[in-house]
Amino acid sequence: MGGRKITFLSLPVLAVVFLMGYVYCTTVFVLLPDWLELSSYLGRTNALIFSFFAFMCMFAFVASVLTDPGRVPSSFAPDAENPQANKGISHYCDKCRAYKPPRTHHCRTCKRCVLKMDHHCAWISSCVGYANYKSFIVCIFYGSVTSIYSTPLFRSYILAFDHIFSLSIFIFFPDHQALSGLALTILSITISSLFAWHIYLLTQNLTTIEYREAVRAAWLAKKCGQNYRHPFNLGVYTNLKLILGSNVLKWFWPSALGHLNDGTRFPISSE
């Protein structure tokens, strides 16, 4: 897919790493010990399970940051005999001065075309595209699991120790427990919502950019008395296999990308 300049030390990326570390340390070394003894079987089991999900989240995040989202091959040229010609048209990019494959878009931030671009994500200092979309999805999946896992622990901690937070005290003198609870609540809602949104996109084989285009296309088709179907939508299970891989056991392993090709051609629906 081609290399790219590594921006792992950018402020947004470091902020995510810090937040992950904060949530992990708070959960394992503050919430769990106060709720369960880590020396107990239940305490060790909860700590082990949470540590696994947290590690996988960090692993997937690093993979998303370090993997190039997808660079257009220098040898790419439009194929007049390509069956996608009528549904997934290759366009010419005036900024890159080269043809770009179907589903490819030019990113103004990265200043280049990205294969099957979903969106530019400041939190990984790169685009989410063809090559790192799976690791991004897996990252937000494990992020949702870890944040949701921590939230009831925090609530149990508060209920068990009768912590009462005054709004004025929280605003001017936020303590460790209040900050942890606020962070976990925001993370749970935000990441879970993001994951749910991308699950919908996965099942439809849509990118965020294509969803916006599909909404307009569906509206225009409806005005003409027709039904719109996304040309790359091959059915839920097939869509998932195209993005996550044919081996279901590897769906949640972010570096299992053997099913990807060069990202310039995609199967289309016959309907």
Side-chain angles (χ1 to χ4, degrees):
M1 292 297 174
R4 71 179 180 89
K5 183 179 178 181
I6 302 302
T7 54
F8 198 78
L9 295 180
S10 67
L11 187 59
V13 173
L14 291 176
V16 173
V17 172
F18 172 79
L19 187 58
M20 287 183 180
Y22 177 79
V23 171
Y24 177 79
C25 291
T26 300
T27 302
V28 175
F29 300 112
V30 177
L31 301 181
L32 269 175
D34 282 335
W35 182 52
L36 297 168
E37 289 293 335
L38 285 181
S39 58
S40 67
Y41 173 77
L42 191 57
R44 289 196 303 269
T45 301
N46 275 275
L48 185 62
I49 293 173
F50 183 81
S51 296
F52 170 76
F53 287 130
F55 170 79
M56 291 303 299
C57 181
M58 178 61 76
F59 177 32
F61 176 73
V62 172
S64 300
V65 173
L66 299 184
T67 302
D68 189 283
R71 196 177 293 268
V72 179
S74 57
S75 59
F76 174 77
D79 185 359
E81 298 180 359
N82 188 341
Q84 297 187 40
N86 294 325
K87 295 186 178 182
I89 303 174
S90 297
H91 296 283
Y92 186 82
C93 178
D94 294 326
K95 296 180 180 178
C96 293
R97 296 182 180 179
Y99 283 98
K100 56 184 180 180
R103 314 186 79 179
T104 299
H105 295 272
H106 187 91
C107 176
R108 296 178 181 177
T109 305
C110 295
K111 297 180 180 179
R112 67 179 177 92
C113 286
V114 176
L115 296 173
K116 197 187 174 186
M117 177 179 171
D118 187 90
H119 68 285
H120 183 87
C121 180
W123 300 109
I124 66 171
S125 290
S126 179
C127 283
V128 175
Y130 181 70
N132 66 347
Y133 186 61
K134 177 181 176 178
S135 57
F136 175 79
I137 291 294
V138 173
C139 177
I140 59 177
F141 164 72
Y142 285 117
S144 299
V145 172
T146 52
S147 59
I148 292 174
Y149 197 107
S150 295
T151 302
L153 291 179
F154 173 78
R155 293 179 63 184
S156 299
Y157 172 80
I158 296 300
L159 293 175
F161 290 90
D162 253 350
H163 290 291
I164 301 175
F165 300 114
S166 165
L167 181 60
S168 59
I169 293 177
F170 175 74
I171 293 175
F172 296 105
F173 304 101
D175 60 10
H176 178 72
Q177 293 86 355
L179 286 175
S180 299
L182 179 63
L184 291 174
T185 302
I186 293 175
L187 277 175
S188 297
I189 296 174
T190 303
I191 301 180
S192 299
S193 299
L194 180 63
F195 178 64
W197 165 244
H198 278 281
I199 284 296
Y200 168 75
L201 295 180
L202 275 172
T203 58
Q204 303 298 311
N205 200 359
L206 284 164
T207 65
T208 300
I209 295 175
E210 289 171 344
Y211 171 79
R212 298 167 185 163
E213 297 172 345
V215 170
R216 175 172 173 77
W219 177 72
L220 291 174
K222 186 176 181 180
K223 286 187 64 176
C224 298
Q226 301 175 344
N227 293 322
Y228 172 79
R229 179 180 174 85
H230 182 54
F232 300 104
N233 186 357
L234 305 178
V236 173
Y237 183 60
T238 302
N239 293 340
L240 292 174
K241 288 198 301 180
L242 287 174
I243 298 168
L244 301 177
S246 57
N247 189 340
V248 178
L249 297 177
K250 296 182 179 180
W251 279 10
F252 300 100
W253 191 255
S255 60
L257 304 176
H259 60 287
L260 299 182
N261 51 42
D262 64 357
T264 62
R265 301 183 68 172
F266 302 89
I268 57 176
S269 172
S270 58
E271 298 182 12

